[in-house]
Amino acid sequence: QFSVQRELPGLVLLDLAYMGMLSLKQFESFNLNERPDRFLALGAAENNRVANPFLGIAPATSTLGTGATLVQSRLWPAYPQFTTLTMNGANTGRAVYHALQFKTEKRFSRGISFLFTYTFSKLIDNYTTSIVNTRRFRSVSEFDQTHALRLAAVYELPFRPANRLLKQIVGGWEATGFLSVDTGVPLTVTHANGRPVRIGNPRLDGPVTDRLGDRRSGNTVLNPYFDINAFRPLPNQYTVTPEPAFFSELRAPTPKSVNFTLLKNFPIRERLRLQVRMDAIGLTNTPTFGAPGTNLSSLATFGVINSASGSRQMIGSARLLF
């Protein structure tokens, strides 16, 4: 990490920084009884019944100790005597993070202070999805957020009437605000046969309210959040997908929020004062829409947003401070 700082007139500080991080040997877990890829060409033959080699060897109370036959696929894993076998703590994880960070801060003077930060970043993961079969997918992380913006400000309202009574009522009010805007996280698209293949860019632009998937013609969604025709399913479950886990160009809706506070301290005695404040959480009453349905096997919900959170809350309070 390195940064350059510059102080400007008016108690304003500018800070421009680069941050890079390489994480190696992160912990991951793997299924050691995954079906080896060399058997994929046999297709549905995995369901054929074959002689049970564990009959009379495995305990009679176990699933392998009963029945003269079992399905062929049960004998294909490396450890067929176990129903499941998981390896925990494998040091196979790898991630790369790059970020350009900008910050400007004004210390309190002349009734105002603020802090503005903006981060332009990319988090990349090397997904090792299997150690039985060699499959590695390099893509953006599920936690990647390209843009992150924050603004916090405090402003002392400049109302200072000469009248003593008016000064007590309208003078000394302080307003604070906080703005938060982030890029939505990347999405993954699934299907019963595995991750489908992209045949086009699924991203669509425009207001999210116009892309909720709430308009239909029969079983066809007329206003999906993304292009639902940009994916083609794999031909069968015995085909290995070439697609990464997450798509940088396909992201959940952008979360944003604005909070605002107005407060005033009324002095009563030397060490006693009354504080009156009004808080607005979610001032603009802007909803944060949930991620759309991304299962291509469920066309009724594919590209459809079914949830939203966030609402305006107004809170008034008064307290004595001493």
Side-chain angles (χ1 to χ4, degrees), residues 132-246:
V132 174
N133 303 298
T134 303
R135 299 178 192 168
R136 294 183 176 90
F137 300 92
R138 188 174 187 270
S139 71
V140 293
S141 168
E142 60 181 311
F143 306 110
D144 176 68
Q145 290 183 294
T146 307
H147 306 283
L149 182 149
R150 303 287 186 273
L151 174 62
V154 178
Y155 181 52
E156 191 177 83
L157 301 183
F159 301 132
R160 297 180 179 86
N163 184 281
R164 185 175 180 179
L165 179 60
L166 287 177
K167 184 177 181 179
Q168 285 290 335
I169 297 175
V170 302
W173 285 94
E174 183 180 284
T176 63
F178 180 75
L179 169 67
S180 173
V181 181
D182 296 303
T183 301
V185 294
L187 299 177
T188 183
V189 177
T190 60
H191 186 268
N193 291 341
R195 291 194 296 273
V197 178
R198 282 175 294 180
I199 57 176
N201 188 339
R203 175 177 172 177
L204 294 177
D205 296 318
V208 179
T209 52
D210 294 337
R211 298 182 286 127
L212 296 177
D214 55 348
R215 298 196 298 269
R216 297 175 180 271
S217 176
N219 294 325
T220 303
V221 179
L222 300 179
N223 61 331
Y225 177 75
F226 55 84
D227 185 358
I228 58 178
N229 298 312
F231 298 93
R232 182 180 64 223
L234 297 176
N236 52 58
Q237 58 183 311
Y238 308 109
T239 303
V240 178
T241 181
E243 295 291 354
F246 297 93

Side-chain angles (χ1 to χ4, degrees), residues 220-294:
T220 303
V221 179
L222 300 179
N223 61 331
Y225 177 75
F226 55 84
D227 185 358
I228 58 178
N229 298 312
F231 298 93
R232 182 180 64 223
L234 297 176
N236 52 58
Q237 58 183 311
Y238 308 109
T239 303
V240 178
T241 181
E243 295 291 354
F246 297 93
F247 302 129
S248 178
E249 70 273 22
L250 182 58
R251 295 177 177 269
T254 298
K256 60 185 73 172
S257 64
V258 179
N259 298 334
F260 180 79
T261 297
L262 186 65
L263 65 87
K264 175 178 170 57
N265 292 310
F266 293 90
I268 299 176
R269 306 176 89 177
E270 182 179 356
R271 296 185 178 180
L272 179 66
R273 67 182 188 275
L274 174 68
Q275 184 183 87
V276 177
R277 62 182 294 157
M278 290 166 283
D279 296 281
I281 302 172
L283 177 66
T284 59
N285 202 29
T286 302
T288 298
F289 292 103
T294 55

